[in-house]
Amino acid sequence: MSDVNKTLLKWHASFRKGTDFDSWGQLVEAIDEYQILARQLQKEVQSSNSTDFTEEQKKTLGKIATCLEMRSISLQSTQSTEEFKLEDLKKLESIIKNILTYNKEFPFDVQPVPLRKILAPGEEENMELEGEDAAAVAGSTEAFPPRAPASQGTLLPRLPSEPGMTLLTIRIEKIGLKDAGQCIDPYMTISAKDSNGMDLNPVQDTPVATKKEDIYIHFSMDVDIQKHLEKLPKGAAIFFEFKHYKPKKRFTSTKCFAFLEMDEIKPGPIVIELYKKPTDFKRKKLQLLTKKPLYLHLHQTLHKDS
């Protein structure tokens, strides 16, 4: 069996798995499966090196990815009317199975999913919020160049040790969210800020977290803070911004944030509260994300060179 046919079998199996979950009412699992397949199709469409499919076939694959995104959005919608129904999606099964010989008109008037837009920190809130909320975001200033987060993240290695100085490694264990299973491409942005919200060192992004379990998204990733603790000013804090992709708006958004203040930096495990966006780096107007016992779970390790 050729590699192309193996790929098609894998896509078809993923499609069937998603629609089965959907028909059984396992919506979180269905959304996850639809999003995984949509990303695989999108990757094929955007690959300039791929010669397995014609441009017309790639266009069709892109439209299938759009329909998968639309069904995911429908399942996440709180409205009773579904924008894109399961029976509509099922019409695409024979197309994805027979893409190499499919030569009919696509059954729905949709366009291929465009390249995802990932915004620099703060920009996504400016697009979503108005008034006081937008003004609060505008108060955040980045002293370091913005990064474009990749699926592999932008984590940096530990700094060289210095005599008498302490370095901090924070292991992000997991985050608790009531809709954890519906968060697409979740990752965390970590930064150290002074009391005025100014960056004290380069901002880092974790890779995308892939393990979801009940109300938790598991990261299990180590982040090395890029400054010796003794060099952090009084009133500094380390921020954790939880971000995820919004297919309906086609950009990556901050969902919530948390922070560690200097007196909370101690070896061992710690759980910290989650706050509503926009990220308030000055910590002046904090609103808890939820009254439920959902937190960011961390483990701190101190490295001191004596």
Side-chain angles (χ1 to χ4, degrees), residues 61-275:
L61 291 173
K63 290 180 178 182
I64 294 173
T66 298
C67 292
L68 290 165
E69 296 267 17
M70 290 170 65
R71 179 59 187 163
S72 297
I73 292 165
S74 293
L75 293 179
Q76 295 176 71
S77 175
T78 55
Q79 300 174 358
S80 58
T81 56
E82 295 182 350
E83 296 176 18
F84 198 82
K85 298 182 182 296
L86 175 57
E87 51 262 40
D88 291 334
L89 189 65
K90 284 185 173 181
K91 294 174 183 176
L92 305 180
E93 183 174 354
S94 62
I95 301 176
I96 198 168
K97 189 177 180 182
N98 303 298
I99 187 69
L100 296 177
T101 55
Y102 183 78
N103 57 7
K104 298 178 183 177
E105 189 175 343
F106 198 77
F108 305 107
D109 185 17
V110 296
Q111 294 303 313
V113 176
L115 278 169
R116 291 186 174 181
K117 184 178 182 184
I118 296 183
L119 304 176
E123 289 182 348
E124 67 274 359
E125 287 93 348
N126 286 329
M127 294 178 67
E128 294 182 279
L129 303 167
E130 297 177 358
E132 291 182 4
D133 285 343
V137 175
S140 166
T141 306
E142 293 226 357
F144 292 84
R147 304 93 47 243
S151 60
Q152 298 302 310
T154 58
L155 296 180
L156 298 168
R158 191 186 311 166
L159 292 175
S161 59
E162 291 183 18
M165 293 291 186
T166 310
L167 289 167
L168 172 63
T169 300
I170 300 175
R171 186 170 184 80
I172 303 175
E173 299 283 8
K174 60 185 178 180
I175 187 171
L177 298 166
K178 63 181 181 180
D179 57 350
Q182 297 178 18
C183 292
I184 301 167
D185 291 349
Y187 68 96
M188 201 80 70
T189 295
I190 303 93
S191 58
K193 309 276 186 182
D194 66 14
S195 57
N196 293 316
M198 296 293 292
D199 279 313
L200 296 170
N201 58 18
V203 180
Q204 303 180 71
D205 296 312
T206 68
V208 167
T210 55
K211 183 182 178 184
K212 300 173 187 176
E213 185 178 37
D214 195 19
I215 58 169
Y216 293 107
I217 296 174
H218 293 263
F219 283 84
S220 302
M221 299 172 190
D222 289 336
V223 181
D224 287 296
I225 301 306
Q226 299 295 298
K227 208 171 191 73
H228 293 89
L229 295 183
E230 290 81 2
K231 296 179 181 179
L232 289 173
K234 186 178 180 180
I238 297 168
F239 282 82
F240 305 84
E241 297 174 87
F242 177 80
K243 301 182 178 182
H244 65 128
Y245 177 68
K246 287 190 170 182
K248 200 165 188 176
K249 296 184 178 180
R250 304 202 186 286
F251 61 75
T252 295
S253 172
T254 300
K255 182 177 181 67
C256 59
F257 71 99
F259 57 86
L260 268 178
E261 296 188 315
M262 297 303 291
D263 59 358
E264 296 176 298
I265 297 177
K266 300 168 186 175
I270 185 172
V271 294
I272 54 177
E273 293 178 316
L274 302 172
Y275 297 95

